[in-house]
């Protein structure tokens, strides 16, 4: 049963209906609110959790998860590096102010020019395939090439995940060959080992497994004379969630402290002097709970015995990857434009023509056209993944606890049409 509420609580501060109505007038019937304090706090708490268990980690914030420039800038201000997987993300990191040495360049496809730029600017490059070692060899053979340091993404099986296509296999001698080749290249120093997995249960066991495997590989390919400088265990962690969302999972969601304990225990055992840096690449973990999606109810209708509430939002706004059935929790703000009607087991439906564009099912409660719906925990992938399908992107508004600022204006049809050729 949804009870509805009069005000929206963001960042422990109450934002009244009058202000919400102004935001709708100014930015349209759908927008995101980015809670900047929450993002800062997440990064600080995460760093503190790993500091307690091992040593100060390097946090490589995963831009793909949400590359809104304001978020990138907050990550930079909080001391994080930028983890990128394309030239576009690399450009964005630079534009947000990350110096190249604070950029980690991952990904399965690094065009030659993009790789050369990253190498010459001193970014951290994580090699994904032997082809990239060929490119590094070519780069180093050119005159004026800068000496480079690089690491290799490892590919190994872990429980609960089907085989991955990323990285170089550690199940054969491929990984040894890769490190041997890199060590032989004049001007190249291998410095670290990387992995990243995204298992569906994001469990503590899977972190125990991955960190141990990466440590074993580091101990296999590095030596006293060529020491390992860092271990990068990627991202893939769960973040914090409101209770209504937690209740939808069939298993317990680990906390920052629990992830840090599992990883830290193994890092301490392997590196008692704590001289090998731990790198983590969180995306979802630090950004998912920093955004809310707010959209207005357009109309309510009945087909047979069932009520349908059509809103200025889509499942593409709140869950574009559609990877599981778990949906963000929703609350209703009564705006008082029309008399609410009491509904039972209604579907809250998106504006698209897709039959299963349903933002919430089994809604029971009072609701009226003009009311606003608030979906929590939509900061990860939602704004990045949404297709320009049927409606353009809503605005993103930043909220620092006192002030609202524009982070991204509402897109218009002209933004969508801008790259098409109309006159041929
Ligand atoms: C290499 C790498 N690091 C970090 C991440 C962030 O993952 P998540 O958002 O699950 O934390 C990803 C996501 O795909 C990734 O590919």
């Amino acid at each position: 049963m949804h009870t509805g509420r009069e005000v929206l609580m963001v960042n422990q501060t109450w934002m009244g209906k009058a202000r919400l109505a102004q935001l709708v007038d100014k930015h349209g019937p759908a927008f995101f609110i980015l809670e900047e304090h929450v993002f800062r706090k997440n990064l600080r708490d995460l760093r503190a959790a790993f500091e307690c268990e091992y040593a100060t980690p390097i946090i490589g914030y995963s831009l793909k998860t949400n590359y809104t420039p304001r978020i990138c800038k907050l990550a930079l201000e909080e001391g994080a590096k930028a983890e990128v997987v394309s030239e576009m993300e690399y450009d964005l990191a630079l534009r947000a102010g990350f110096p190249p040495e604070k950029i980690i360049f991952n990904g399965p496809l690094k065009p030659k020019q993009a790789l050369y730029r990253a190498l010459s600017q001193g970014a951290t490059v994580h090699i994904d395939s032997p082809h990239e070692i060929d490119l590094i060899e070519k780069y180093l053979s050119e005159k004026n090439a800068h000496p480079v340091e690089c690491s290799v993404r490892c590919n190994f099986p872990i429980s609960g995940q089907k085989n991955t296509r990323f990285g170089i296999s550690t199940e054969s001698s491929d990984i040894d060959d890769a490190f041997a080749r890199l060590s032989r290249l004049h001007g190249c120093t291998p410095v670290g080992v990387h992995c990243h997995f995204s298992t569906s249960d994001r469990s503590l066991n899977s972190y125990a497994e991955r960190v141990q495997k990466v440590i074993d590989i580091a101990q296999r390919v590095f030596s006293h004379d060529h020491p390992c400088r860092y271990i990068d265990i990627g991202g893939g962690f769960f973040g914090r969630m409101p209770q209504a969302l937690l209740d939808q999972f069939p298993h317990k969601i680990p906390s920052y402290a629990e992830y840090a304990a599992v990883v830290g225990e193994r890092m301490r055992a392997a590196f008692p002097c704590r001289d090998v840096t731990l790198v983590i690449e969180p995306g979802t973990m630090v950004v998912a709970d920093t955004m809310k999606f707010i959209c207005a109810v357009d109309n309510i209708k009945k087909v047979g015995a069932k009520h349908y509430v059509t809103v200025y939002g889509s499942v593409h706004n709140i869950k574009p990857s559609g990877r599981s059935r778990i949906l963000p929790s929703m609350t209703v703000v009564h705006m008082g434009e029309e008399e609410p009607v009491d509904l039972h087991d209604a579907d809250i439906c998106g504006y698209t023509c897709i039959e299963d564009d349903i933002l919430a099912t089994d809604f029971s409660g009072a609701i009226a056209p003009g009311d606003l719906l608030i979906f929590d925990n939509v900061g990860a992938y939602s704004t990045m993944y949404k297709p320009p399908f049927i409606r353009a992107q809503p605005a993103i508004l930043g909220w620092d606890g006192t002030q609202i600022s524009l982070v991204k204006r509402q897109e218009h049809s002209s933004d969508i049409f801008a790259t098409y050729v109309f006159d041929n």
Side-chain angles (χ1 to χ4, degrees):
M1 176 81 174
H2 293 256
T3 51
R5 57 187 198 213
E6 296 297 300
V7 284
L8 160 65
M9 197 171 93
V10 232
N11 229 16
Q12 312 307 319
T13 307
W14 297 96
M15 191 188 285
K17 272 198 284 191
R19 193 156 196 194
L20 285 171
Q22 280 170 0
L23 296 179
V24 171
D25 277 351
K26 195 163 174 191
H27 301 286
F31 51 86
F32 289 91
I33 290 199
L34 163 66
E35 295 179 276
E36 300 180 0
H37 286 30
V38 176
F39 185 66
R40 285 190 190 278
K41 182 170 175 353
N42 286 349
L43 288 175
R44 288 176 195 176
D45 290 354
L46 181 60
R47 180 172 291 119
F50 279 88
E51 235 160 36
C52 266
E53 295 291 342
Y54 180 65
T56 307
I58 289 180
I59 297 181
Y61 170 62
S62 159
L63 257 63
K64 74 184 80 57
T65 314
N66 192 327
Y67 62 64
T68 302
R70 178 78 194 126
I71 295 181
C72 299
K73 285 195 173 156
L74 294 173
L76 177 65
E77 282 171 22
E78 292 300 322
K81 290 191 175 188
E83 186 268 332
V84 307
V85 291
S86 70
E87 314 90 291
M88 183 192 77
E89 290 186 5
Y90 192 99
D91 289 341
L92 183 66
L94 289 179
R95 201 158 158 199
F98 286 92
E101 61 276 14
K102 293 197 86 177
I103 300 179
I104 301 170
F105 194 10
N106 281 329
L109 192 154
K110 303 182 186 76
K112 183 176 156 191
Q113 292 315 326
L115 182 63
Y116 278 26
R117 172 173 65 159
L119 292 171
S120 65
Q121 292 185 336
T124 303
V125 171
H126 287 169
I127 291 162
D128 197 82
S129 64
H131 166 69
E132 289 177 4
I133 305 181
D134 297 343
L135 288 179
I136 291 181
E137 186 168 4
K138 280 196 192 112
Y139 168 80
L140 288 170
S141 69
E142 293 193 354
K143 72 171 188 316
N144 302 329
H146 296 248
V148 301
E149 293 178 346
C150 55
S151 304
V152 179
R153 178 164 175 173
C154 296
N155 178 310
F156 49 81
I158 61 166
S159 322
Q161 156 120 3
K162 59 180 175 35
N163 286 350
T164 161
R165 68 184 169 100
F166 301 110
I168 296 184
S169 175
T170 65
E171 299 295 284
S172 63
S173 59
D174 290 358
I175 196 76
D176 308 87
D177 296 344
F179 274 97
R181 261 189 85 191
L182 288 168
S183 306
R184 281 197 304 271
L185 291 182
H186 185 67
C188 177
T189 313
V191 289
V193 185
H194 173 231
C195 76
H196 168 77
F197 295 93
S198 203
T199 58
S200 56
D201 64 358
R202 298 169 185 248
S203 69
L204 293 173
N205 280 346
S206 86
Y207 280 86
E209 207 178 329
R210 75 188 73 176
V211 71
Q212 193 56 56
K213 284 202 174 164
V214 178
I215 288 170
D216 293 346
I217 294 151
Q219 291 178 333
R220 179 166 127 196
V221 296
F222 287 100
S223 63
H224 189 260
D225 295 338
H226 296 103
C228 177
R229 215 177 288 158
Y230 69 87
I231 298 272
D232 183 337
I233 58 165
F237 310 87
F238 274 122
R240 292 160 166 160
M241 297 176 207
Q243 194 58 44
L245 195 52
L246 287 173
D247 291 345
Q248 294 186 54
F249 285 87
H251 50 75
K252 190 181 171 298
I253 303 301
S255 65
Y256 286 10
E258 286 168 325
Y259 281 124
V262 159
V263 173
E265 183 190 338
R266 281 148 189 92
M267 288 294 286
R268 285 194 309 271
F271 310 114
C273 302
R274 305 187 191 201
D275 50 350
V276 173
T277 303
L278 174 69
V279 182
I280 48 178
E281 299 173 349
T284 304
M285 181 186 221
V286 291
V287 82
D289 65 339
T290 66
M291 275 176 127
K292 295 180 191 302
F293 178 62
I294 300 180
C295 63
V297 174
D298 182 67
N299 67 79
I300 300 170
K301 72 173 180 185
K302 201 171 177 195
V303 178
K306 179 124 188 133
H307 277 102
Y308 296 95
V309 178
T310 303
V311 304
Y312 281 92
S314 161
V315 80
H316 290 138
N317 295 119
I318 60 167
K319 205 176 158 30
S321 69
R323 280 207 296 199
S324 76
R325 293 184 54 76
I326 292 170
L327 285 163
S329 50
M330 183 191 90
T331 32
V332 182
V333 182
H334 298 309
M335 297 301 281
E337 286 181 14
E338 289 191 32
E339 202 52 42
V341 278
D342 267 317
L343 303 185
H344 295 281
D345 296 338
D347 280 352
I348 308 289
C349 305
Y351 56 73
T352 71
C353 310
I354 304 293
E355 194 66 71
D356 55 6
D357 183 2
I358 297 177
L359 293 85
T361 51
D362 307 326
F363 170 83
S364 295
I367 193 163
D371 282 357
L372 296 180
L373 306 184
I374 301 162
F375 294 88
D376 287 315
N377 259 74
V378 298
Y381 299 99
S382 52
T383 52
M384 305 296 109
Y385 234 71
K386 180 199 168 284
F389 180 59
I390 301 192
R391 283 180 76 86
Q393 280 275 32
I396 303 176
L397 308 176
W399 173 249
D400 63 5
T402 46
Q403 282 195 326
I404 292 274
S405 59
L406 186 65
V407 167
K408 183 186 194 301
R409 69 158 168 78
Q410 180 185 9
E411 281 180 3
H412 304 294
S413 312
S414 54
D415 294 310
I416 305 290
F417 304 154
T419 52
Y420 291 93
V421 177
F422 277 78
D423 53 4
N424 60 2

